[in-house]
Amino acid sequence: MPGTKFDTKHRTTIRNLRIREDTAKYLYNLDPESAHYDPKTRSMRDNPFKNNPRDDILYRGENFVRHSGDVKDMAKQQMFAWEAKERNLDVHLLADPTKMELLYSDFKEKKEGFKQDVKEGILEKYGGEEHLEAPPRELLLAQTENYVEYSRTGQLIKGQEKAVAKSKYEEDVYSSNHMSVWGSYWESGLWGYSCCHSLIKMSYCTGDAGKIAAKSRAAQMKRVLEEKQKSLVELHQERNKDKKKKKKKSKQQDREDEEENKQAKLMKALEAEDERSREFKKIMGIDERKRPYNSMMADSGEQPTEEEIEAFRRKRLRTDDPMAAMLS
């Protein structure tokens, strides 16, 4: 038990029992990643509700109890009792609590006095006391004797607010009977006066009449713009039409270019077929014993293209054609 003397000859076992009506510690949070529960000592040191911000939690772990209230002071007194026991001073935290409290308070006073004596000796020997009397660092750059009191909403209740730094330009100069400065009003990308909503600099103030006129002018301009301006649906439809037209034109142009390329390739294939026919007739006119070697073989082993096949079909003679005799 904390605070008692430990004797190896007389061992006592104190069971950490709980009342049967209380909830078991391991049932507070069934998440396996929560606080660890030691079944041997029946202890759960961490808080099982770490991620729960509520204040009405019944159990916060054994470490919370050990580090709250007067537990820290009691632990310091226990350390003092152990150290006093080593110096042959018979004092006990639980047996003599009054004596323990008096000795501990006397020890703290002597300790603070010793620290103060050491500090004064160092200052007397080396100096520098004026540096220790300086105000806190957070007040060095914001120190003032002016008392100002604000409400919870930020409004001034008592005192005088901090003066705003003035610029090198003239401020709060009202000209032409205006009650506000130029630039205090903004509308449609233009600056003006907030007292009359005039957008012309150095104009004469017209007051509420100017506001009414500016309001009617803005409404009229808005109406004109709405009449001229098309709706978003119409603009979207027009854009889609333009895109479709461009796609059609591009597709038609691609088709035309493809047809032109096909015609050009076909013309070349027809010329090559005529050349091949002439070469074939020339070779067939020579005696087969005098023909060159492999003269009847194709030039290469490549597959014929579509244009070459079409040229061969066009130039081929059909014997069953009644007009074949007219071509020879």
Side-chain angles (χ1 to χ4, degrees):
M1 183 176 180
T4 59
K5 296 180 180 178
F6 180 74
D7 190 1
T8 56
K9 296 180 181 179
H10 302 85
R11 294 178 178 271
T12 57
T13 304
I14 302 172
R15 297 183 179 275
N16 187 12
L17 300 177
R18 66 176 176 86
I19 304 174
R20 297 296 99 183
E21 290 81 4
D22 294 343
T23 305
K25 297 175 184 178
Y26 54 84
L27 294 178
Y28 282 118
N29 192 349
L30 300 180
D31 187 5
E33 301 295 331
S34 63
H36 173 68
Y37 175 75
D38 187 8
K40 186 176 181 179
T41 59
R42 300 180 183 176
S43 62
M44 181 180 286
R45 299 186 177 183
D46 292 337
N47 185 5
F49 303 101
K50 273 186 178 180
N51 300 325
N52 195 341
R54 294 186 308 166
D55 296 333
D56 56 344
I57 298 174
L58 300 176
Y59 182 74
R60 296 179 181 270
E62 295 176 0
N63 287 341
F64 177 78
V65 179
R66 292 173 181 173
H67 296 88
S68 61
D70 294 334
V71 179
K72 293 183 179 179
D73 295 337
M74 187 175 178
K76 292 179 181 178
Q77 292 181 8
Q78 182 63 53
M79 290 292 296
F80 173 73
W82 288 338
E83 293 175 358
K85 182 67 177 176
E86 292 177 357
R87 291 173 174 81
N88 298 324
L89 179 62
D90 190 11
V91 62
H92 199 279
L93 177 62
L94 299 181
D96 297 324
T98 306
K99 181 180 178 182
M100 179 69 205
E101 184 68 26
L102 291 173
L103 289 174
Y104 184 64
S105 60
D106 188 24
F107 167 75
K108 287 196 298 183
E109 289 179 2
K110 290 183 179 180
K111 186 177 180 181
E112 292 296 331
F114 176 74
K115 286 183 179 179
Q116 188 66 23
D117 294 340
V118 172
K119 180 179 177 182
E120 291 176 357
I122 293 174
L123 292 176
E124 185 179 354
K125 185 175 182 180
Y126 298 102
E129 187 176 359
E130 65 277 5
H131 300 291
L132 299 178
E133 296 177 355
R137 296 186 62 183
E138 60 269 11
L139 296 178
L140 287 175
L141 302 178
Q143 183 175 348
T144 179
E145 295 181 359
N146 297 329
Y147 178 76
V148 182
E149 186 176 348
Y150 294 92
S151 64
R152 290 187 177 181
T153 58
Q155 296 181 356
L156 182 66
I157 298 176
K158 188 177 181 180
Q160 186 178 1
E161 281 188 302
K162 187 178 178 181
V164 182
K166 295 284 186 179
S167 65
K168 64 179 181 179
Y169 302 100
E170 293 182 351
E171 296 183 3
D172 300 334
V173 177
Y174 306 120
S175 60
S176 302
N177 201 29
H178 284 287
M179 301 299 294
S180 60
V181 296
W182 168 259
S184 58
Y185 179 71
W186 185 88
E187 181 184 355
S188 302
L190 300 175
W191 295 102
Y193 298 96
S194 62
C195 55
C196 59
H197 292 185
S198 176
L199 303 178
I200 302 173
K201 193 173 184 180
M202 301 302 294
S203 62
Y204 192 79
C205 182
T206 55
D208 294 336
K211 290 183 180 181
I212 296 171
K215 201 171 185 180
S216 61
R217 183 177 67 250
Q220 186 177 2
M221 289 294 294
K222 187 176 180 181
R223 200 181 310 113
V224 172
L225 290 174
E226 287 178 354
E227 291 176 358
K228 291 183 178 180
Q229 190 177 8
K230 296 180 180 179
S231 63
L232 293 175
V233 178
E234 294 176 352
L235 291 174
H236 184 66
Q237 291 177 354
E238 288 183 359
R239 288 174 186 170
N240 288 339
K241 288 181 181 179
D242 294 339
K243 288 181 180 179
K244 289 180 181 179
K245 287 180 181 179
K246 288 181 181 179
K247 286 183 180 179
K248 286 182 180 179
K249 287 182 180 179
S250 62
K251 287 181 180 179
Q252 188 175 1
Q253 187 69 26
D254 294 341
R255 289 172 186 169
E256 292 178 357
D257 294 342
E258 189 176 353
E259 288 293 332
E260 290 178 0
N261 293 333
K262 283 185 178 181
Q263 291 296 330
K265 290 180 180 179
L266 183 59
M267 293 301 296
K268 288 182 181 180
L270 289 172
E271 292 176 0
E273 183 66 22
D274 292 339
E275 183 68 23
R276 191 188 66 81
S277 299
R278 287 194 294 270
E279 187 70 21
F280 180 73
K281 289 180 181 179
K282 182 179 178 181
I283 292 173
M284 290 300 294
I286 302 173
D287 188 7
E288 62 182 5
R289 289 174 297 181
K290 296 181 180 180
R291 291 175 189 168
Y293 185 70
N294 286 341
S295 60
M296 302 299 292
M297 296 292 292
D299 295 337
S300 62
E302 296 178 358
Q303 294 290 335
T305 60
E306 295 181 359
E307 290 78 10
E308 292 175 352
I309 294 173
E310 181 66 23
F312 174 76
R313 289 175 179 173
R314 291 189 182 185
K315 295 293 184 177
R316 184 181 60 180
L317 293 176
R318 294 182 174 84
T319 55
D320 56 346
D321 188 2
M323 301 296 294
M326 300 294 293
L327 297 174
S328 58

